[in-house]
């Protein structure tokens, strides 16, 4: 499908993006995305989106922040973005390190402001294509979704079970997910999801290979997406989308043969399929199932799947199977356990298992103490 790029206002742009989403739901692929991405209206929308983020005042290697571009005349700024993208050579990102929750340091790449504007223009246009085909139980870095929705999904999987409670959980941990994404596989997945404009794919390829500056030395990036890039979370979701649907098709979101998904799940159970539920937030994911044997079988399969299909590795130490009736699982800063309902005068001996989430206060207090020590040291 070729996209009409003529839009005169942000309202018309939104209508065009809604149309792209609807057509993508129908399984269509798209050409002509380049002209829409670098239409003056899209460029202005991208700048407004970036300006509303606190990071817009953090400069890249060229030392320019958002104010430098906001002070430029309108036509000059539009022409600058359009001329830059015609022969696009992104500047390397500025690498800094930020502390992780476990005390280690996480690399963060800060692109130049002009590269961020170009990334945001592309993100605006390709996001509706991807959103239409993303897994419904994936919550990380997606519009109108947050960690609370992922936690609610986990609890609901426990509460809605009548007999077979999915109490055995695979707590997944991907080793350096963002840093080890294979560029060739990623671009192939972008094409398969419906982005058929090769000019957009070439721009994404250029962004991935931009490299980074650390200690005044330029490093080439052959794998990975820069953590800190505007488009990186969307690309990571594209990369892991096939994994989501592969697990989902086993039971949670089967190919529809009946009127509703619940009837399809019942049909699968009658054929001996063990229930399993995936909840993912970016590179953090869990799979809930009803038997320990199925959890072990699935984990063995997933180690091979990540290694050979995605060129990623699951951590041997951190990827574990947990019985939620015996101990909490740790997911997105929460501790979640399957436990019996509280006794009441009407039901003094409850037999129904329910999900009980609570914040991981130890982790939060540990992070606060580290910040306090840093302030005192300075």
């Amino acid at each position: 499908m070729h996209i009409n790029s003529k839009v005169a206002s942000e309202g018309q742009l939104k209508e065009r993006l809604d149309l792209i989403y609807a057509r993508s739901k129908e399984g269509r692929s798209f050409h002509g995305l380049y002209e829409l991405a670098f239409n003056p209206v899209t460029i202005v929308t991208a700048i407004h989106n970036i300006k509303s983020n606190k990071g817009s005042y953090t400069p890249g290697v060229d030392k320019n922040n958002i104010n430098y571009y906001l002070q430029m005349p309108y036509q000059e700024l539009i022409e600058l973005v359009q001329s830059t993208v015609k022969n696009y050579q992104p500047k390397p990102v500025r690498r800094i390190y930020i502390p992780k929750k476990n005390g280690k340091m996480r690399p963060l790449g800060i692109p130049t402001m002009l590269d961020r504007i170009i990334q945001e223009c592309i993100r605006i246009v390709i996001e509706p294509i991807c959103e239409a085909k993303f897994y419904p139980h994936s919550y990380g870095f997606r519009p109108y979704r947050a960690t609370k929705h992922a936690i609610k999904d986990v609890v609901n999987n426990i509460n809605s079970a009548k007999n077979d409670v999915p109490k055995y959980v695979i707590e997944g941990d991907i080793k350096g997910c963002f840093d080890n994404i294979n560029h060739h596989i990623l671009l192939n997945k972008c094409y398969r999801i419906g982005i058929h404009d090769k000019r957009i794919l070439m721009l994404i390829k250029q962004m991935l290979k931009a490299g980074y500056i650390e200690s005044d030395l330029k490093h080439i990036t052959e794998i990975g997406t820069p953590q800190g890039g505007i488009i990186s979370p969307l690309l990571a979701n594209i990369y892991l989308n096939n994994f989501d649907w592969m697990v989902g098709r086993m039971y949670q979101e089967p190919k529809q043969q009946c009127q509703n998904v619940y009837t399809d799940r019942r049909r699968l159970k009658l054929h001996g399929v063990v229930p399993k539920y995936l909840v993912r937030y970016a590179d953090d994911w869990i799979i809930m199932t009803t038997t320990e044997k199925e959890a072990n079988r699935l984990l063995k399969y997933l180690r091979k799947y990540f290694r050979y299909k995605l060129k990623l590795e699951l951590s041997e130490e951190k990827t574990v199977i947990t019985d939620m009736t015996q101990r909490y699982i740790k997911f997105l800063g929460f501790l979640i356990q399957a436990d019996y309902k509280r006794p009441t005068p009407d039901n003094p001996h409850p037999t129904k298992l329910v999900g009980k989430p609570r914040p991981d206060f130890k982790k939060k207090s540990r992070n606060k103490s580290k910040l306090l020590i840093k302030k005192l040291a300075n």
Side-chain angles (χ1 to χ4, degrees):
M1 176 178 175
H2 194 278
I3 298 298
N4 182 1
S5 63
K6 292 179 181 178
V7 291
S9 66
E10 287 195 18
Q12 288 185 9
L13 174 63
K14 188 177 183 306
E15 287 175 5
R16 195 61 43 82
L17 297 176
D18 289 343
L19 175 67
I20 291 172
Y21 178 87
R23 293 293 178 268
S24 183
K25 272 284 188 189
E26 296 169 1
R28 305 285 289 275
S29 54
F30 299 88
H31 301 271
L33 297 170
Y34 179 94
E35 286 77 15
L36 182 61
F38 300 104
N39 180 291
V41 175
T42 313
I43 294 171
V44 170
T45 304
I47 292 168
H48 287 166
N49 291 349
I50 293 168
K51 183 177 177 290
S52 65
N53 192 302
K54 291 179 182 178
S56 62
Y57 297 98
T58 307
V61 293
D62 63 353
K63 307 290 177 67
N64 294 327
N65 64 20
I66 193 66
N67 286 334
Y68 175 81
Y69 296 96
L70 291 174
Q71 291 164 9
M72 291 176 69
Y74 171 80
Q75 196 58 40
E76 186 182 333
L77 176 56
I78 298 299
E79 289 174 2
L80 173 64
V81 175
Q82 290 177 340
S83 62
T84 302
V85 85
K86 280 180 183 175
N87 187 24
Y88 189 48
Q89 294 294 327
K91 288 184 170 61
V93 300
R94 179 166 68 91
R95 174 165 281 192
I96 61 171
Y97 288 87
I98 57 172
K100 291 172 71 174
K101 292 173 183 176
N102 59 6
K104 295 180 181 178
M105 302 299 283
R106 183 195 304 277
L108 186 69
I110 303 173
T112 64
M113 193 52 61
L114 186 56
D115 288 333
R116 272 183 259 181
I117 292 168
I118 292 168
Q119 284 189 26
E120 179 64 10
C121 288
I122 294 172
R123 186 201 65 79
I124 287 170
V125 172
I126 70 171
E127 188 175 64
I129 300 172
C130 304
E131 276 295 320
K133 293 172 181 172
F134 279 163
Y135 191 61
H137 303 279
S138 162
Y139 297 93
F141 305 108
R142 293 182 60 186
Y144 311 113
R145 291 173 178 241
T147 53
K148 62 183 180 182
H149 301 119
I151 298 300
K152 183 181 177 182
D153 201 353
V154 175
V155 173
N156 186 58
N157 288 335
I158 301 168
N159 293 353
S160 60
K162 291 181 179 178
N163 299 317
D164 294 335
V165 176
K167 61 181 183 177
Y168 293 99
V169 178
I170 303 171
E171 299 180 64
D173 186 271
I174 306 169
K175 282 185 183 176
C177 178
F178 287 92
D179 298 327
N180 292 299
I181 285 175
N182 183 287
H183 293 174
H184 177 73
I185 295 174
L186 173 60
L187 291 169
N188 185 42
K189 288 182 183 296
C190 288
Y191 186 84
R192 286 177 176 275
I193 211 167
I195 305 165
H196 282 197
D197 191 327
K198 292 188 178 179
R199 295 165 297 175
I200 293 290
L201 293 174
M202 186 55 67
L203 290 174
I204 293 172
K205 184 179 180 181
Q206 293 286 85
M207 291 170 185
L208 293 171
K209 299 205 176 284
Y212 62 92
I213 298 286
E214 185 179 3
S215 303
D216 296 328
L217 293 173
K218 182 179 177 181
H219 301 261
I220 298 168
T221 47
E222 295 295 337
I223 57 171
T225 62
Q227 290 194 50
I230 287 172
I231 205 169
S232 295
L234 179 59
L235 295 178
N237 276 333
I238 293 171
Y239 199 80
L240 294 173
N241 190 49
N242 280 19
F243 156 67
D244 296 341
W245 282 107
M246 181 273 296
V247 176
R249 288 297 187 215
M250 293 179 183
Y251 180 82
Q252 192 175 14
E253 296 290 333
K255 287 188 177 179
Q256 199 163 347
Q257 295 181 17
C258 306
Q259 284 189 344
N260 59 61
V261 70
Y262 302 104
T263 311
D264 275 308
R265 288 177 187 171
R266 238 183 350 258
R267 171 179 58 80
L268 289 173
K269 282 182 81 172
L270 288 172
H271 284 83
V273 176
V274 180
K276 51 190 78 66
Y277 305 89
L278 168 70
V279 180
R280 183 173 68 82
Y281 190 99
D283 59 337
D284 291 325
W285 54 270
I286 62 169
I287 297 175
M288 310 169 70
T289 188
T290 55
T291 68
E292 190 172 10
K293 182 181 177 182
E294 180 66 10
N296 281 302
R297 185 198 68 79
L298 190 56
L299 179 56
K300 186 178 178 181
Y301 172 76
L302 289 176
R303 289 194 189 280
K304 292 179 182 178
Y305 179 89
F306 274 94
R307 182 175 296 131
Y308 298 112
K309 292 282 189 180
L310 299 178
K311 307 299 180 188
L312 296 171
E313 292 287 338
L314 292 180
S315 170
E316 291 286 345
E317 302 81 26
K318 296 180 181 177
T319 303
V320 294
I321 295 170
T322 305
D323 181 351
M324 293 180 73
T325 59
Q326 303 300 315
R327 53 191 290 258
Y328 286 98
I329 63 163
K330 295 179 180 180
F331 188 53
L332 304 177
F334 280 79
L335 302 175
I336 310 170
Q337 190 173 26
D339 201 357
Y340 292 109
K341 295 174 80 173
R342 288 182 179 178
T344 62
D346 295 332
N347 186 13
H349 304 290
T351 56
K352 175 79 171 84
L353 285 171
V354 294
K356 294 186 178 180
R358 64 179 176 85
D360 189 355
F361 290 114
K362 286 184 181 179
K363 189 175 285 186
K364 291 184 179 181
S365 63
R366 198 160 53 237
N367 291 340
K368 283 182 181 178
S369 63
K370 284 180 183 176
L371 288 170
L372 182 62
I373 291 166
K374 280 188 179 179
K375 285 180 182 179
L376 291 171
N378 293 331

